[in-house]
Amino acid sequence: MKFIFIGFFIGLSAINTCFAQNIVICGKVIDAKTKQPLISANIGIIGFARGAISDAEGIFKLSIPNKLLDDTLFISYVGYRTLKKAVSAIPRNYTSFALEEVAILLDEVTILEQHPYKFESKKTEASMKQVKGNLYASSTEVTNAQYNQFLNHLIRNNQKSLYEKYKPDISHYEGTLLAFFKGYHIPHKESKDSRYTNDFNENPVVNISYESAVAYCEWLTEQYNNQSGKKKFHKVTFRLPTLKEWQIAALGYKKFQSWNIEENEVEVGIPKHPGEEIGAKKIMMKVKDNDILYPWFGAHDYRDKAQNSKNCWMGNFKIPEGSDSCFIARPAGDGYFITAKVASYFPNGMGLYDVVGNVEEMIDEKGKACGGSWAHLPEESTMTSVHSYLGASGTVGFRVFMVVVSER
């Protein structure tokens, strides 16, 4: 998995530089009980804008100005008590920071609504981008925050058995990944320490079953159709897409000619001079036999590449060993050890984000998901990539498609 390899090299780098600078705080963030490393813990100085996150081995390095020596360091992690310590009291050598888990179970913290729930039809409508005719697709994958609204609905309506059936399943994890996904699925709750914590509300929901995704779509359909007041459509159906629908939406070419992705021709920009990325000259190219693999095919030289000219990854993938590094310093090669917040990368021509990488997206065929994920190599995360999955997985999420049944 991606984070194992990346963490090893980042960890060595962090340790080696701990002793090379004057005001540097280095260490490893661990679970106080299990001693397992904590991935993506948030480290910073109260009142100071710049911070750090722990890598896949729990290791971090934070450089600070001399003037902050009398300030306070904080280390936070979702589901754990925030650790605070005076900078002056921290050893200048490599040390461990143990965080204590808050004794709250996942199913006991799901109900954290701080305001009465109200379905927002306009927000849902705004997120839907037209694929063709009466078929629309959500601009992003379904987030933890959105999915938790569904789970909260089940609890409010005394449907505990359905809640148990559809809530995220993390029972198959242990160690570091168990700690990570425990925090990943805890809804954000305002508290005096919450401002220090990076929550995962806007990351894609994972670890749910096919049946859970279908149930969410049915709930969303009911919420929209039963909504009183002004809305754009009278009746709609939300559902998972077919394979052909998903691939055409991933292609993002509004003038597509066929529902079979490989039968289409798309407009591609050809650079006028070597080294240019954006081409003013436009030509039509067939998807088949032209290595058009990614949704940024509009730039001819990138149609089959996942890195740009600066070696920065254009999606959230598993980074191949030995890859050239992005010139921008990032915790992981593409910026994320596991999932990224939705819409972290630019959208395709239809306005859809993250159609490749980040998380695989379910289709209406149970056990099949498209587009690859954070744990798949770039060549496994193309617009035509289809993988099998068994049950709940940390790499699989879903995107909602909408069919307009009647406008008025």
Side-chain angles (χ1 to χ4, degrees):
M1 299 176 78
K2 168 176 66 176
F3 56 87
I4 293 176
F5 300 113
I6 295 174
F8 177 75
F9 293 110
I10 293 178
L12 285 180
S13 176
I15 293 172
N16 290 337
T17 55
C18 278
F19 309 99
Q21 298 182 33
N22 200 17
I23 306 298
V24 174
I25 301 172
C26 286
K28 183 172 185 176
V29 186
I30 60 174
D31 181 298
K33 184 176 181 180
T34 67
K35 309 305 178 185
Q36 293 284 343
L38 297 179
I39 306 171
S40 297
N42 191 31
I43 302 103
I45 305 297
I46 295 177
F48 185 57
R50 192 182 311 129
I53 66 171
S54 60
D55 67 16
E57 299 298 321
I59 296 168
F60 73 91
K61 180 187 75 171
L62 178 64
S63 299
I64 61 171
N66 284 302
K67 63 181 181 180
L68 299 179
L69 195 59
D70 294 325
D71 284 31
T72 301
L73 175 85
F74 70 83
I75 302 178
S76 65
Y77 200 75
V78 179
Y80 287 73
R81 289 189 178 87
T82 298
L83 183 151
K84 296 179 183 177
K85 197 168 186 177
V87 174
S88 58
I90 298 172
R92 287 296 168 266
N93 56 353
Y94 180 78
T95 188
S96 291
F97 297 86
L99 302 190
E100 294 183 354
E101 184 177 9
V102 178
I104 300 176
L105 297 177
L106 178 62
D107 61 350
E108 294 176 328
V109 299
T110 300
I111 310 306
L112 292 173
E113 293 180 338
Q114 297 172 41
H115 306 286
Y117 173 70
K118 182 181 179 181
F119 180 75
E120 298 178 276
S121 57
K122 290 191 179 299
K123 183 178 290 188
T124 301
E125 290 166 352
S127 70
M128 292 295 156
K129 307 300 179 183
Q130 188 177 37
V131 179
K132 190 171 187 177
N134 67 340
L135 180 66
Y136 293 73
S138 175
S139 59
T140 69
E141 298 142 342
V142 174
T143 65
N144 278 317
Q146 292 168 330
Y147 194 77
N148 279 328
Q149 291 177 344
F150 165 58
L151 294 180
N152 280 311
H153 170 85
L154 296 178
I155 294 296
R156 286 195 308 270
N157 288 275
N158 298 315
Q159 295 176 297
K160 186 66 183 294
S161 61
L162 290 180
Y163 165 74
E164 291 293 335
K165 179 179 179 181
Y166 297 140
K167 71 178 182 180
D169 178 10
I170 59 173
S171 61
H172 51 292
Y173 294 112
E174 58 183 24
T176 299
L177 281 180
L178 177 60
F180 177 82
F181 280 120
K182 273 185 180 179
Y184 188 87
H185 291 295
I186 294 177
H188 179 70
K189 184 179 181 180
E190 292 295 334
S191 69
K192 63 180 182 179
D193 286 333
S194 65
R195 64 186 182 276
Y196 304 127
T197 305
N198 292 325
D199 66 72
F200 298 98
N201 277 1
E202 297 307 313
N203 288 54
V205 67
V206 292
N207 294 313
I208 61 169
S209 65
Y210 170 84
E211 290 78 11
S212 299
V214 170
Y216 175 88
C217 292
E218 292 172 349
W219 168 79
L220 191 62
T221 298
E222 179 182 315
Q223 293 297 304
Y224 185 91
N225 290 340
N226 292 341
Q227 177 77 20
S228 59
K230 190 176 181 180
K231 56 185 181 182
K232 187 174 182 180
F233 306 112
H234 173 64
K235 187 177 181 180
V236 303
T237 298
F238 294 98
R239 60 171 173 79
L240 296 177
T242 66
L243 175 60
K244 288 182 178 181
E245 288 170 346
W246 189 93
Q247 290 182 341
I248 287 298
L251 183 68
Y253 187 63
K254 294 181 179 180
K255 298 179 182 178
F256 71 92
Q257 309 92 47
S258 169
W259 287 99
N260 292 315
I261 187 171
E262 291 188 342
E263 293 177 0
N264 286 281
E265 288 189 350
V266 294
E267 192 175 68
V268 176
I270 305 297
K272 191 173 183 180
H273 303 290
E276 292 182 346
E277 297 184 1
I278 306 300
K281 181 183 177 182
K282 306 292 184 181
I283 66 168
M284 298 299 294
M285 293 183 65
K286 291 183 178 180
V287 172
K288 187 177 182 179
D289 301 326
N290 280 289
D291 294 325
I292 294 177
L293 305 179
Y294 301 106
W296 41 83
F297 59 80
H300 177 267
D301 289 350
Y302 290 160
R303 71 195 187 284
D304 59 349
K305 295 181 177 65
Q307 278 180 292
N308 64 19
S309 61
K310 305 296 184 182
N311 294 322
C312 296
W313 295 92
M314 294 183 282
N316 183 18
F317 310 111
K318 176 181 178 180
I319 304 304
E321 286 188 84
S323 300
D324 292 330
S325 299
C326 177
F327 78 107
I328 300 173
R330 295 178 171 180
D334 51 13
Y336 304 92
F337 294 111
I338 303 186
T339 66
K341 286 186 177 182
V342 297
S344 291
Y345 299 87
F346 55 83
N348 68 7
M350 288 180 184
L352 308 186
Y353 294 87
D354 306 313
V355 291
V356 294
N358 207 25
V359 295
E360 298 180 274
E361 298 180 12
M362 298 180 194
I363 57 174
D364 66 350
E365 183 180 351
K366 184 177 179 179
K368 299 293 183 184
C370 300
S373 74
W374 58 269
H376 290 90
L377 293 166
E379 58 267 29
E380 300 172 315
S381 305
T382 71
M383 296 183 295
T384 57
S385 297
V386 183
H387 299 116
S388 298
Y389 66 94
L390 294 173
S393 169
T395 69
V396 179
F398 69 107
R399 184 186 305 265
V400 168
F401 278 54
M402 179 182 79
V403 178
V404 177
V405 179
S406 61
E407 294 194 11
R408 293 288 182 270

